[in-house]
Each structure stands twice: as structure tokens, then as C-alpha cells.
Amino acid sequence: MERYQGSQFDVVLVDYDLDDGKGDTFVRWLRAFDAAAKLVAVSARTSGNAALVAAGATTVCAKIDFARIEAVIREIA
């Protein structure tokens, strides 16, 4: 969250399991002040991606499908 503040991103890739917490906490925090942010859930687990989407992620690109990330980003751009 500290690194995001004061920065500008076109798209944010968010994993569910982070070193300092869970990604859905970050997504809810970001949505509180930036409803238009483009967030891609990128967890390896279906349950992690579901939690990220429930928190407000725009779309999903599971790690197993990461070869598609460019197409996923273009879809939400």
C-alpha cells in the first residue's frame, strides 16, 4: 500500500498470497479511493482469484494462464 501511494499505474496485477498480507485487503483498500483502477487477479488458486474478484478486482488471469496476460490487459484497457 505504501508503494502504491503517490504512484500511477495503468494496470495493477494482484496476487492473493502476499508477503505482508492478503491481496483482497489491498484490493478493498485501493477501491476505497480509486474505483476506476484496473486490477487483474493473478493467483494460482481459484479460491484466491475468487476472493480478489469479490473484493473488487476487474478480471482474472490465473498464473497457469499467464501466457494470456497481454490479451487480458488489452481487454480491460
Side-chain angles (χ1 to χ4, degrees):
M1 292 178 200
E2 288 176 13
R3 291 184 181 185
Y4 188 88
Q5 291 177 328
S7 300
Q8 189 174 6
F9 297 92
D10 295 326
V11 176
V12 179
L13 307 182
V14 184
D15 197 353
Y16 181 73
D17 293 309
L18 304 173
D19 291 341
D20 58 353
K22 297 299 181 189
D24 60 336
T25 300
F26 171 76
V27 171
R28 280 191 295 279
W29 171 82
L30 180 56
R31 282 288 179 233
F33 67 87
D34 189 354
K38 294 177 175 78
L39 303 167
V40 181
V42 294
S43 180
R45 298 178 306 145
T46 302
S47 59
N49 284 323
L52 293 166
V53 169
T58 310
T59 192
V60 173
C61 183
K63 286 183 181 175
I64 196 166
D65 298 323
F66 211 72
R68 295 187 54 248
I69 192 64
E70 187 176 346
V72 171
I73 291 171
R74 273 191 301 230
E75 289 173 9
I76 64 172

